[in-house]
């Protein structure tokens, strides 16, 4: 993830007043209406106290979106380190992708089928894509990841009623800080708090 942003804070560095996206040498003012911000301060790499991270949260059309921006070196440019969009109970069935997976004897995903216009269609698995099955607090997830230059894109699927149909309940992008170094996939323990919005909403 390489998106860069700038923020204007209040005098106490506790609230976000304005936000800009930085594209090369241009800045574009971002709409923040409806967003809530959490600002974390501390010592940066220069040994000065400043804002280390900003977490932006907002609800939109049935989804809870969270973005984390970090500035550890204290140069005033915040890199987007993590983004997740989670389906909530207000999302409609039409907004939720449905998948079926084939598993081998060891439980690994061998094929992915997506429901499209009432028909199950085989989805090709690219070389830079991988599937893992993870259990978190008694809930099983199929995690699809696609490797990027500086992180991963990911999708999370759940089958709460165990009928063999897995619903995509979240998708996003994660930088190195949110990736499990041993597996190369997104660290579900680190993102568990963001999944709470989807608890109990998958049929």
């Amino acid at each position: 993830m390489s998106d860069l942003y700038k923020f204007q804070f209040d005098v106490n560095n506790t609230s976000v007043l304005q936000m800009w996206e930085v594209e090369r040498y241009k800045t574009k003012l971002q709409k923040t209406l409806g967003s809530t911000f959490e600002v974390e301060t501390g010592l940066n790499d220069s040994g000065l106290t400043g804002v280390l991270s900003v977490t932006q949260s907002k609800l939109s059309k049935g989804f809870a979106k969270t973005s984390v921006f970090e500035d550890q070196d204290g140069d005033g440019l915040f890199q987007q380190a993590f983004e997740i969009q989670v389906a909530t109970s207000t999302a409609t069935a039409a907004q939720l992708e449905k998948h079926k997976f084939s598993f081998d004897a060891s439980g690994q995903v061998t094929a992915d089928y997506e429901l499209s216009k009432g028909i199950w269609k085989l989805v090709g698995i690219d070389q830079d894509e991988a599937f893992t099955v993870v259990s978190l607090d008694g809930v099983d997830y199929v995690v699809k990841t696609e490797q990027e230059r500086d992180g991963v894109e990911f999708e999370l699927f759940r089958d709460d009623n165990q009928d063999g149909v897995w619903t995509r309940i979240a998708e996003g992008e994660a930088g190195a800080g949110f990736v499990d170094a041993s597996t190369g996939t997104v660290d579900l323990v680190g993102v568990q708090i963001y999944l709470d919005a989807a608890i109990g909403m998958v049929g």
Side-chain angles (χ1 to χ4, degrees):
M1 302 178 69
S2 58
D3 295 339
L4 296 176
Y5 293 82
K6 284 185 176 182
F7 295 91
Q8 180 186 358
F9 304 101
D10 65 359
V11 294
N12 298 316
N13 282 342
T14 57
S15 300
V16 171
L17 302 179
Q18 288 186 310
M19 173 183 179
W20 297 268
E21 183 177 9
V22 180
E23 296 181 351
R24 295 185 179 180
Y25 301 104
K26 297 181 180 179
T27 57
K28 182 179 180 181
L29 184 65
Q30 301 294 290
K31 294 180 180 179
T32 57
L33 184 65
S35 294
T36 59
F37 292 91
E38 180 181 342
V39 180
E40 178 188 357
T41 59
L43 290 179
N44 57 34
D45 291 344
S46 300
L48 301 174
T49 299
V51 177
L52 301 181
S53 70
V54 175
T55 301
Q56 179 186 23
S57 304
K58 62 181 178 180
L59 291 171
S60 177
K61 298 179 180 178
F63 292 86
K65 183 177 179 180
T66 303
S67 300
V68 179
F69 310 90
E70 297 179 344
D71 177 23
Q72 186 61 44
D73 61 11
D75 67 353
L77 291 174
F78 289 76
Q79 184 169 8
Q80 186 171 338
F82 179 75
E83 179 180 82
I84 189 170
Q85 181 171 277
V86 181
T88 71
S89 59
T90 61
T92 65
Q95 292 176 292
L96 301 175
E97 282 192 11
K98 302 288 186 180
H99 288 247
K100 286 185 177 180
F101 300 106
S102 295
F103 301 90
D104 62 16
S106 63
Q108 299 301 306
V109 172
T110 57
D112 174 14
Y113 300 85
E114 181 180 351
L115 185 63
S116 176
K117 298 180 180 179
I119 300 174
W120 291 103
K121 294 185 177 181
L122 180 64
V123 180
I125 301 176
D126 295 334
Q127 285 188 335
D128 60 352
E129 295 177 340
F131 289 84
T132 54
V133 180
V134 178
S135 182
L136 187 64
D137 286 346
V139 179
D140 290 331
Y141 293 86
V142 170
V143 184
K144 177 184 177 181
T145 55
E146 181 177 354
Q147 296 295 323
E148 299 292 330
R149 181 175 57 86
D150 49 4
V152 298
E153 292 184 358
F154 63 89
E155 298 177 52
L156 305 180
F157 304 86
R158 285 218 318 253
D159 178 18
D160 288 1
N161 60 8
Q162 299 183 359
D163 64 351
V165 178
W166 296 74
T167 300
R168 187 176 72 178
I169 58 100
E171 61 177 321
E173 297 180 78
F178 291 85
V179 174
D180 187 326
S182 62
T183 63
T185 188
V186 64
D187 180 7
L188 279 194
V189 175
V191 304
Q192 182 179 8
I193 186 174
Y194 307 114
L195 301 178
D196 288 347
I199 297 301
M201 56 74 58
V202 182

